[in-house]
Structures are given as structure tokens and as C-alpha cells.
Amino acid sequence: MTAVSNPFTTHDVFNQSAPLQNYDLFTTNAALVDALAFNLPPTRLAATTTRLTATGIELGKHETLALGDAANLHPPELKTHDRRGERRDEIEFHPAWHALMTLALKYGLHSAPWSDPTPGAHVERAAAYLMFSEVETGVLCPVTMTYGAVSALKADADIASVWLPKLYSRDYDSRFAPMQSKRSALIGMGMTEKQGGSDVRANTTQALPMSKLEYKLIGHKWFFSAPMCDAFLVLAQAPGGLSCFFLPRFTADGALNAIRIQRLKDKLGNRSNASSEVEFHEARATLLGEEGRGVQTILEMGVYTRLDCALGTAGLMHQALAQALWNAAQRSAFGKLLKDQPLMKNVLADLALESEAATALGLRLARAYDAQTDAHDHVLRRVLTPAAKFWVCKRGAHFAQEAMEAIGGNGYVEESVLPRIYREMPVNSIWEGAGNVMCLDVLRALRKQEVVDAVVTELDTAKGSHAAYDHFCVSLKDRLANANEFESAARRLTQDIALAMQASLLARHAPRFVFDAFVESRLGSDWSGAFGTLSPQAPFDPLIERSMPTQHA
Ligand SMILES: Cc1cc2nc3c(=O)[nH]c(=O)nc-3n(C[C@H](O)[C@H](O)[C@H](O)COP(=O)(O)OP(=O)(O)OC[C@H]3O[C@@H](n4cnc5c(N)ncnc54)[C@H](O)[C@@H]3O)c2cc1C
């Protein structure tokens, strides 16, 4: 590295890595490129690759990356009242937030697979979403909730006919105004109350009928993210039991609906995004689905948000990996570049394996949501969604910590993106069903024989590719059949389903050395889970080179 002479200090700055910017987030991500090719219909691949390359270049620009920094440095502010003392209940964001939302909607991350439901649409969107997560994830909260809500809203023809055209629009409209006057709209979700989030049956918010479908909501939500959305799906107790309601920010006559924002959460991470506490003071809402079937209706939205938790974490992992590799290729210690130190090679190669496996699982799961999906995928996604959310998100915080440590002290400092990634990781694990809740959902899914069969079919596609893989799958299949015998063992079972699925995918679309290294580390009986514990014979250099980012010429 050449020394840079600095006339204002008494020393020269050297052995510091340059910022990672102005690079293509798509074509430099070999794991994503391969997973995409595997999961997309071949006829779509060329056009999708062209679109994602353009997206990857735009996202990797210095200017775009800087928006992520700015949106987090300047968090949103709540304005409860106007100068006259009237309720305003409005959130003000930094311009960087709006610029990022403009990009996310331009790429169609909020609804493209619904407005253009062609085969492969969910997979293409998943790849773009993963790349966007590398830049900023706060804005993806309303984007994800909107993506998830479309499916639930389609069940109501009246709401769908009015709202879906606005949800399909790619023209972001930041104005706080009745939906009728806006170019596009976004949807949020409210389930969690003070007394419980996992067990939503504990909800106390009351829904009082005014007419057949119109109700008044009285109560609260303890977590209510992205309150600037134009409408929300919320749960409340109706006379017929817990039900799902469509709650717009403005009523049909254009007045502010009675959703009172109490305060914003002071969160560990996810700081660009507003997460609020709200009260409903006879807020007007429309019943969605049947009374008493609220959980089923809102879960239609929830499964897509779980998919995005896995994809978003895979994106964060990849950015953390890219930063660690980039630094290790430029920083020397004890006379060698870090990437050439044998023990650091092991850490970096192991991180690269984990990142690739997370990407593979995320894209495969997205394929299971594709509009033209087959019966096998439809059943598979029932178990793969909670399993992927649990395992990928569970590895996230640990991953970020190791990537940060690989960069050393600079990794702990805000100017590097690692602290933001590290703070962001746990939310995907907690939100929309924390780890245990996901594992219990896996057990519930496995009560159906067709779900067990779908997992077995999927694993058998890679049968015979490696003795350790076959051995692992034999014992896993036994446990699938008796999954519900020991609730307390659900985490280990879910972890093993995810690992076996990741291995089977790597067998099918990654280079052989990636698959071998994954199986020989993760599926062995002595795997500790710590990074940097690959066997000394593992292909460190090829694994590192495969993931090393490169800047534009
Ligand atoms: C940044 C952020 C944004 C959020 N945004 C929203 C939002 O927009 N809308 C919304 O509705 N919610 C939102 N949430 C809330 C989130 O979905 C809940 O926090 C989450 O579902 C867990 O619910 P809880 O906090 O009530 O925890 P609890 O239900 O009290 O759970 C605590 C722990 O117990 C475990 N647990 C629960 N049941 C069992 C069981 N039977 N066996 C074993 N373990 C169990 C859980 O896995 C968890 O680890 C948000 C949360 C965060 C952090």
C-alpha cells in the first residue's frame, strides 16, 4: 500500500483500507448470481440479469451508500400536534429516507411480483431486496409490510379494487394525505400489544361494529412500525372473536383517522425507521375476512414478512462479509496481508460459506412463493419459512460480530458500516415471531405428513453427493417423523432442517468446493458453530476469492 503524505499531521497514513464503494452489488456476488440462475425460469434469466446488474451498480454507488448512513444518522421525529394544538400524528424524516424509499419503490420491492405475477417474479424481487439490504434496511420495513399485505388484501374485492392500484405504483409519494390524492400507498401492520406479541390472542383492543363491515377500534398497539403508512392491517377483538381490520390513516371523508401516536421507540438499531406506540380513539376500520379468523387473515401477510427477514439478514451478512474481505485484502499485520494469514483465512472463508448458504436458502424460499409455484413448493414453504427465518436470523448477529472483529478496531467505529449492521441484526430475529415461536411453528407444520414428505423429497435431490450429507439426512429424517415428541428439542431440529436444506442447495448450484466445505464443517458431529473452525484442509483461498468484492475499473 502506498503511503499518503498528509501535510497537516506529523505522520503519514498508511495500511488503512480504502472505503468499499462504487462497485456492482450484483455481479460481484457470485453466490447470488448462482442462486438466481438456479431458481429463476431459464427464459427470464437474461432480462433479470440485465435489470439486477443496473440495480447493483446504482446501489453500490458512493452516493447511494451515503444515503444509508444519513438516514440512520438523522432518525425520524414525531410531531404529535400542530402549532394550534390540533392533533397532527405525523413523522418527519430526513431527505435521505425519502430518497431511499424512492429507490425501493422504483425497483418494485414493495409489490412487483403482484403487479406483474410472471414466473420468477418473487425470485427476482428477492435478489433485489437482498442487495438493497446491504445499503439500508430501515426503509425495507414498510416495503416488506406492503409486499406482504397485498396477498391478504386481495381477499377483499372492494378494498383491493381501490387500494391495489396505489400499492402497485412505483412512484413513491411521501405526502401525508388521503390515499385518493396520492400517487402510491404503503401498508403497515399492528398486532403486538403491551401484554403480548407472540400470543396475539391476548389482544385487548376492541372492535365495535357500526355496520356490517365498518367498526370503531378502541385500544392500543405497543409496536406499530412505519406509522406513516397509508393504512394498516390490525388485530382487534370483535363480537365474533379476534379479527383482522383494515385501518386507513385518513377516513373516507378525508379526516385524520383517530390513530394517536404516543411516542417513538428508542431502538437498538433500525434507527432510520420509525417504530411507534399508538392508541386507537374510536378509529374507523373495515373488517377484513371473517370475524374470529383474524390470525389466519393477518398471517397471510406475516409469512411474506418472515421471508423478508431471512432475505434481509442474508443481505446484511453479505455486506458485512464484503467489508471484512475488502479490509483483509488491504490491511497487513505481522508482515502479511490479513487475507494471507492462515487463521484469518479460516475466519473469512467460514464467513463466506455462511453468507453463501444464507443466500441460497433465501432465494430458494422466495421461489416457493412464486406465483406459478407447484404443489411441492406450496407445501415446502410452510416449513421452510419459519426454519429459514429462525436459522438465518439466528446466525446474523454472530456473523456481524465476527466480520466486525475481522476489521479490528475500525470495525467497531461508526464510520465503518459494521456497527449499523450489528445493531440491525437482532430485529429480524425478534420481529414477526421470535426464534422459539418460529421453531414451534416448524413443529406445527411437521404434524402434516405431506410437509414431512416435502422436506424429504427436497433433501433427496442431493442424495449421494457426499457421505456426510447422506449420514446427516438419515438421522434427520428419523427425527422429522417424531418431531412433536419433544417440544424442547425444536430449536435443534429446526437448525438441522435449515442446514440440510442449505447443503442440498449448495450441492445443486454452488461450486463443488463450496458444498464440500459446508458439509464437512456444518454437518459434522463436532461443529461448534464458531466461525474460523473449518478444517485446515478446507479450500480457504478459493472460498475467499469467490466472495472478494471488486470495484469498477
Ligand atoms: C423494531 C421492532 C419493530 C416491530 N414492529 C412491529 C410492528 O410493526 N407491528 C407489530 O405488530 N409488532 C411489531 N414488533 C413486535 C414484535 O413482532 C414482537 O416483539 C415479537 O413478536 C415478540 O413479541 P413480544 O415482544 O410480546 O415478546 P413475548 O411474546 O413476550 O416473547 C418473549 C420471548 O418468549 C418466547 N416465547 C413466546 N412464546 C413461547 C413459547 N410458547 N415457548 C417458548 N418460548 C416462547 C419468544 O420467542 C420470545 O423470545 C416489532 C418489534 C421490534 C423489535
Side-chain angles (χ1 to χ4, degrees), residues 165-181:
K166 303 279 176 169
L167 303 185
Y168 291 167
S169 165
R170 295 189 180 204
D171 191 1
Y172 173 61
D173 189 335
S174 66
R175 285 173 299 154
F176 187 42
M179 176 276 272
Q180 294 79 352
S181 66

Side-chain angles (χ1 to χ4, degrees), residues 189-192 196-198 223 225 267 427 430-432 434 436 440:
M189 159 204 280
M191 297 190 284
T192 309
S198 306
F223 279 90
S225 287
K267 297 175 289 184
V427 72
I430 295 172
W431 184 52
E432 195 46 49
N436 286 356
L440 294 174

